[in-house]
């Protein structure tokens, strides 16, 4: 079997188009422009690339983009002062602090400082709790993007066996909650899971978010499964000196011979993450203004 390759890049462009349409309507009918603020601490090259992409796409869909670049040695107090200002700013509907942050800062404390209504990363305890309780909050962008791809691919997921490899707060846990909400039978695997290959082999939906390049082999995959590859590992390009290459957590070649559908890296889940960040900012803006939410862009 040769799997369908799920085109996340094209799907993300479609999502951004829907966001742009809704943003235009908000401006025209209500004079409101949704705004996203991104805080970057230090000079991590990968983070700079992501933040630049976020800024460009935010502007492209007609939203206001606010960037705050702080030095690597910024104190917690100074960072919190910036976050407090953004919390209070009515032009800002979404706030994201790019991770990782330098070691002297705590991601947990940074997230806790952001107003949960503006927490477009969905990482706050309030938003994680709302998701776990089946209530309405803001959902972490990458799992939301994976959900959109799965709904498009499979429609009804009720009764399917879903395996999520990875249990981070940013991805694995919220992904598992979303699949549970879709009535899947969900297994969460991690570094202590025994016989991971066998666990993966039971999955109708296999989601890998580990950060170990090409760990999931083709013979771990159930024939006909849908495989979502979240992992991103950057390695020096084997042929082009000075360039880098991205690898997923799934060995694409062997897995695509067994799966029914699979996301590639790059061009799969990654582009959906930024599209969903914009979707979440729009959702947060609509909620804070008491306006109806965009359809099809929330969990
Ligand atoms: N495409 C995108 O938009 C995004 C991609 N990513 C990528 O996804 C990957 C995961 O990210 P994130 O969740 O933040 O990472 P974390 O490092 O926070 O979590 C990794 C998870 O993988 C588990 N794990 C580690 N080694 C193994 C192993 N040998 N077998 C089984 N499980 C293992 C860990 O288990 P344990 O808990 O037991 O330690 C942990 O739960 C990374 O490559 C990251 O770059 C992340 C976010 C967005
Ligand atoms: N607070 C916070 N929230 C995040 O959501 C967050 C974060 N910090 N820190 C880093 C990770 C990683 N992440 C990605 C975003 C886009 C792509 C993406 O667009 N990837 C493209 C390729 C990009 C490239 O070529 O480098 C693709 O896979 O096709 C990937 C990964 C968000 N993260």
């Amino acid at each position: 079997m040769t799997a369908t390759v799920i085109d996340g890049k094209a799907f993300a462009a479609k999502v951004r188009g829907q966001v742009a349409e809704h943003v235009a309507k908000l401006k025209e009918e209500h004079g409101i422009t949704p705004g996203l603020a991104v805080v970057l601490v230090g000079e991590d090259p990968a983070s700079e690339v992501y933040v630049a992409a976020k800024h460009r796409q935010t502007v492209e869909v007609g939203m206001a983009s606010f960037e705050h670049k702080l030095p690597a040695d910024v104190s917690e107090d100074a960072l919190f002062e910036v976050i407090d200002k953004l919390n209070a700013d009515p032009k800002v509907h979404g706030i994201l602090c790019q991770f990782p942050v330098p070691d002297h800062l705590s991601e947990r404390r940074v997230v806790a400082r952001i107003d949960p209504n503006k927490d477009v990363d969905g990482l706050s305890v309030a938003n994680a709790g709302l998701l776990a309780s089946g209530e309405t909050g803001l959902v972490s962008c990458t799992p939301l993007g994976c959900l959109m791809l799965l709904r498009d691919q499979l429609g009804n997921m009720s009764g399917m066996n879903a395996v999520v490899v990875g249990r981070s707060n940013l991805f694995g846990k919220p992904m598992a909650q979303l699949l549970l909400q879709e009535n899947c039978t969900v297994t969460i695997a991690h570094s202590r899971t025994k016989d991971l290959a066998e666990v993966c082999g039971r999955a109708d939906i296999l989601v890998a978010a580990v950060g170990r390049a090409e760990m999931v082999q083709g013979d771990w995959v159930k024939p006909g499964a849908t495989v979502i590859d979240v992992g991103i590992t950057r390695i020096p390009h084997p042929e082009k000196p000075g360039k880098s290459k991205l690898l997923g957590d799934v060995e694409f070649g062997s897995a695509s011979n067994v799966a029914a559908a699979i996301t590639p890296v790059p061009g799969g889940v990654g582009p959906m993450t930024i599209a969903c960040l914009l979707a979440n900012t729009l959702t947060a803006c609509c909620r804070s203004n008491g306006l109806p939410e965009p359809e099809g862009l929330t969990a």
Side-chain angles (χ1 to χ4, degrees):
M1 191 182 332
T2 304
T4 302
V5 179
I6 298 173
D7 189 346
K9 205 175 162 186
F11 201 94
K14 205 173 91 180
V15 170
R16 292 199 303 275
Q18 286 169 273
V19 171
E21 240 173 69
H22 204 106
V23 168
K25 217 172 69 176
L26 276 182
K27 278 189 195 170
E28 204 180 288
E29 293 174 9
H30 303 280
I32 297 168
T33 303
L36 172 65
V38 175
V39 180
L40 175 62
V41 183
E43 285 167 6
D44 179 63
S47 293
E48 299 229 5
V49 173
Y50 289 139
V51 168
K54 284 170 187 171
H55 170 72
R56 183 173 50 76
Q57 295 182 26
T58 305
V59 173
E60 266 170 21
V61 297
M63 293 187 186
S65 171
F66 307 93
E67 271 185 325
H68 292 265
K69 292 195 177 171
L70 305 173
D73 62 355
V74 71
S75 68
E76 186 183 73
D77 282 350
L79 171 61
F80 282 4
E81 208 174 298
V82 171
I83 294 176
D84 290 347
K85 275 199 187 127
L86 296 171
N87 282 339
D89 187 342
K91 293 194 294 301
V92 173
H93 305 94
I95 303 170
L96 172 142
C97 179
Q98 185 73 20
F99 292 148
V101 288
D103 287 343
H104 70 282
L105 297 167
S106 141
E107 289 185 356
R108 198 177 54 79
R109 284 174 59 83
V110 171
V111 166
R113 194 76 179 195
I114 296 172
D115 177 349
N117 295 311
K118 298 190 179 189
D119 165 34
V120 280
D121 252 337
L123 288 176
S124 61
V125 170
N127 280 316
L130 288 167
L131 177 62
S133 312
E135 292 184 44
T136 305
L138 288 163
V139 176
S140 180
C141 307
T142 309
L144 180 59
C146 294
L147 177 73
M148 288 183 189
L149 293 177
L150 284 167
R151 279 185 178 155
D152 182 61
Q153 197 62 37
L154 296 168
N156 187 359
M157 288 170 248
S158 183
M160 287 186 164
N161 287 334
V163 174
V164 180
V165 191
R167 56 171 161 181
S168 65
N169 289 336
L170 180 67
F171 184 81
K173 284 179 196 164
M175 187 74 246
Q177 296 289 354
L178 290 172
L179 290 164
L180 193 58
Q181 232 163 63
E182 297 292 312
N183 298 312
C184 291
T185 303
V186 182
T187 304
I188 307 177
H190 45 77
S191 67
R192 312 291 172 86
T193 296
K194 289 189 184 127
D195 203 354
L196 185 60
E198 190 271 331
V199 172
C200 290
R202 286 187 255 138
D204 303 308
I205 296 170
L206 178 59
V207 186
V210 177
R212 287 176 169 247
E214 302 187 327
M215 183 184 81
V216 176
Q217 309 284 309
D219 58 7
W220 295 22
V221 176
K222 180 177 173 177
T226 300
V227 178
I228 304 289
D229 189 352
V230 182
I232 292 190
T233 304
R234 199 175 286 272
I235 60 160
H237 200 288
E239 284 123 42
K240 299 177 193 158
K243 299 254 168 177
S244 61
K245 183 181 177 200
L246 298 187
L247 291 177
D249 284 347
V250 179
E251 199 191 49
F252 186 86
S254 59
S256 61
N257 285 327
V258 188
I262 183 167
T263 60
V265 175
V269 171
M272 290 300 289
T273 298
I274 303 184
C276 287
L277 177 66
L278 305 176
N280 275 348
T281 303
L282 173 60
T283 300
C285 175
C286 291
R287 286 182 188 159
S288 75
N289 285 287
L291 294 168
E293 291 174 19
E295 266 173 50
L297 297 178
T298 53

